């Protein structure tokens, strides 16, 4: 099941067809193929010959190798698709168990840190992309997938097509963000870097968009220049967006819609890091009467 220039095996071809039939995202398909390829390499033979004990030993091997819970669970999900869907032999997975992933609170920047971070981005394109990510709460992949035509300046909205989970939604555009986008558009057009109806944040070749990896590299460099010692990524801006809205008394259900969360409890995580909200809580100690 390895990705190579060799002819595709009948088993891999069938799995590819099964994933295509279900319209799985390209990244999901790659993840599943990678999981099965690694298992086949460990097994030393075709994975369709594996027994329940083989799979049990493989999970033990991954745990002993220090594989993270997230990677371990992703591996199990890929193998589950192969055995359950493609082979119709899901019972062999009976001895494989998913691992509980420890839930950690997100890293959040304060507003001064966000301002310094955006200002320290290497160029106007990166500054605008970071400002948009913070101002809308979009994920990195959603930011780089935007096109100029997704901006509706009349309605002050931004159309996000096929976000996580294959869902379309709208994000808000503030007046300050709209002005930043207009400045970037004028500069990029003058430099011949933005095509009609093209990517809002084009790459070196305007035909292709800036990649999420390039954007993450830009934010890491900006964080270093801004002397921010927290662990910063593009998702940190999304966390900061949600937390700051919560501190501004925006209804959590509105924030849920803006983030594109399916479940309210996912959005509720930000109540644990909204320090301005916590400051308003009066401790019961303060209300005790002197003895």
């Amino acid at each position: 099941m390895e990705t190579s220039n060799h002819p595709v095996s009948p088993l891999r071809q069938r799995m590819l067809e099964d994933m295509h039939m279900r319209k799985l995202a390209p990244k999901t398909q790659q993840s599943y193929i990678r999981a099965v390829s690694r298992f086949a390499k460990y097994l030393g033979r075709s994975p369709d010959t594996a027994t329940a004990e083989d799979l049990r030993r493989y999970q033990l091997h991954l745990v002993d190798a220090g594989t993270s819970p997230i990677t371990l669970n992703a591996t199990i999900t890929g193998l589950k698709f192969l055995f359950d869907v493609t082979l119709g032999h899901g019972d062999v997975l009976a001895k494989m168990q998913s691992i509980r992933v420890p839930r950690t609170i997100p890293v959040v920047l304060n507003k001064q840190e966000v301002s310094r971070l955006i200002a320290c981005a290497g160029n106007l394109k990166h500054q605008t992309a970071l400002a948009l990510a913070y101002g809308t709460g979009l994920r990195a992949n959603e930011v780089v997938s935007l096109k100029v035509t997704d901006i509706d300046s009349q309605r002050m909205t931004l159309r996000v097509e096929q976000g996580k989970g294959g869902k379309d939604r709208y994000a808000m555009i503030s007046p300050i963000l709209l002005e930043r986008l207009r400045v970037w558009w004028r500069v990029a057009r003058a430099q011949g870097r933005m095509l009609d109806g093209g990517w809002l944040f084009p790459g070196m070749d305007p035909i292709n968009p800036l990649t999420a990896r390039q954007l993450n590299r830009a934010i890491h460099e900006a964080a270093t220049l801004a002397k921010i010692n927290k662990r910063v990524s593009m998702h940190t801006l999304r966390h900061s967006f949600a937390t700051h809205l919560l501190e501004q008394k925006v209804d959590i259900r509105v924030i849920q819609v803006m983030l594109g969360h399916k479940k309210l409890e996912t959005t509720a995580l930000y109540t644990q890091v909204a320090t301005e909200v916590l400051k308003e809580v009066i401790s019961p100690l303060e209300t005790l009467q002197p003895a």
Side-chain angles (χ1 to χ4, degrees), residues 19-244:
M19 292 189 293
H20 179 64
M21 285 170 56
R22 288 158 180 78
K23 293 187 176 181
L24 298 188
K27 284 191 175 181
T28 301
Q29 295 190 36
Q30 293 168 11
S31 174
Y32 287 4
I33 290 294
R34 186 162 52 245
V36 176
S37 296
R38 289 173 177 170
F39 174 60
K41 184 176 181 180
Y42 164 84
L43 193 63
R45 61 181 193 274
S46 179
D48 60 352
T49 65
T51 64
E53 188 58 27
D54 288 328
L55 287 158
R56 175 186 174 277
R57 284 199 301 269
Y58 182 54
Q59 180 165 353
L60 185 61
H61 162 75
L62 293 176
V63 171
D64 289 343
T67 305
S68 71
I70 292 177
T71 301
L72 187 55
N73 288 342
T75 299
I76 293 173
T77 301
L79 292 174
K80 180 176 175 59
F81 187 94
L82 171 70
F83 288 98
D84 208 13
V85 178
T86 300
L87 297 175
H89 195 25
D91 55 302
V92 297
L93 293 164
K95 295 184 178 181
M96 288 196 94
Q97 297 294 326
S98 59
I99 303 300
R100 181 179 176 277
V101 178
R103 188 153 194 179
T104 58
I105 60 173
V107 173
V108 173
L109 303 179
N110 60 44
K111 291 184 178 181
Q112 292 74 26
E113 288 172 328
V114 172
S115 183
R116 294 204 324 264
L117 182 72
I118 294 172
C120 288
N123 54 54
L124 181 60
K125 176 168 65 175
H126 292 158
Q127 289 173 1
T128 309
L130 297 190
L132 185 144
Y134 172 66
T136 61
L138 266 60
R139 302 173 179 89
N141 284 331
E142 294 170 340
V143 171
V144 298
S145 297
L146 291 171
K147 293 187 175 181
V148 176
T149 51
D150 292 327
I151 300 172
D152 187 337
S153 59
Q154 297 300 314
R155 297 178 61 202
M156 297 298 283
T157 58
L158 193 64
R159 180 178 174 83
V160 182
E161 292 189 352
Q162 298 297 290
K164 188 175 181 180
K167 296 178 181 178
D168 293 351
R169 73 179 191 280
Y170 283 99
M172 70 173 191
I173 299 180
S174 68
I176 289 177
L177 176 57
L178 181 60
E179 183 55 33
R180 277 182 172 270
L181 289 171
R182 283 173 169 164
V183 170
W184 160 239
W185 182 84
R186 286 194 293 267
V187 170
R189 291 285 291 180
Q191 296 175 345
R193 297 163 59 190
M194 189 177 292
L195 306 177
D196 290 333
W199 303 107
L200 183 58
F201 299 111
M204 293 296 291
D205 184 340
I207 295 176
N208 300 315
L210 186 71
T211 67
R213 179 176 294 182
Q214 290 170 326
L215 204 49
N216 264 305
R217 189 182 306 125
I219 197 172
H220 291 153
E221 292 173 355
T224 300
L225 289 173
K227 297 182 179 179
I228 297 173
N229 296 322
K230 298 175 181 177
R231 189 175 66 254
V232 175
S233 69
M234 284 299 297
H235 223 66
T236 306
L237 292 178
R238 178 173 165 87
H239 294 322
S240 302
F241 165 82
T243 303
H244 295 166

Side-chain angles (χ1 to χ4, degrees), residues 237-255:
L237 292 178
R238 178 173 165 87
H239 294 322
S240 302
F241 165 82
T243 303
H244 295 166
L245 284 183
L246 196 60
E247 292 176 342
Q248 291 169 198
K249 306 295 192 302
V250 176
D251 190 285
I252 194 169
R253 293 175 184 82
V254 175
I255 299 174

Side-chain angles (χ1 to χ4, degrees), residues 248-286:
Q248 291 169 198
K249 306 295 192 302
V250 176
D251 190 285
I252 194 169
R253 293 175 184 82
V254 175
I255 299 174
Q256 176 190 1
V257 172
M258 296 175 77
L259 292 175
H261 283 164
K262 184 177 181 181
K263 297 180 179 180
L264 183 60
E265 52 261 39
T266 305
T267 315
L269 175 66
Y270 295 109
T271 60
Q272 299 179 38
V273 289
T275 56
E276 294 303 317
V277 174
L278 295 178
K279 288 177 183 177
E280 295 184 3
V281 177
I282 299 175
S283 167
L285 180 64
E286 301 296 320

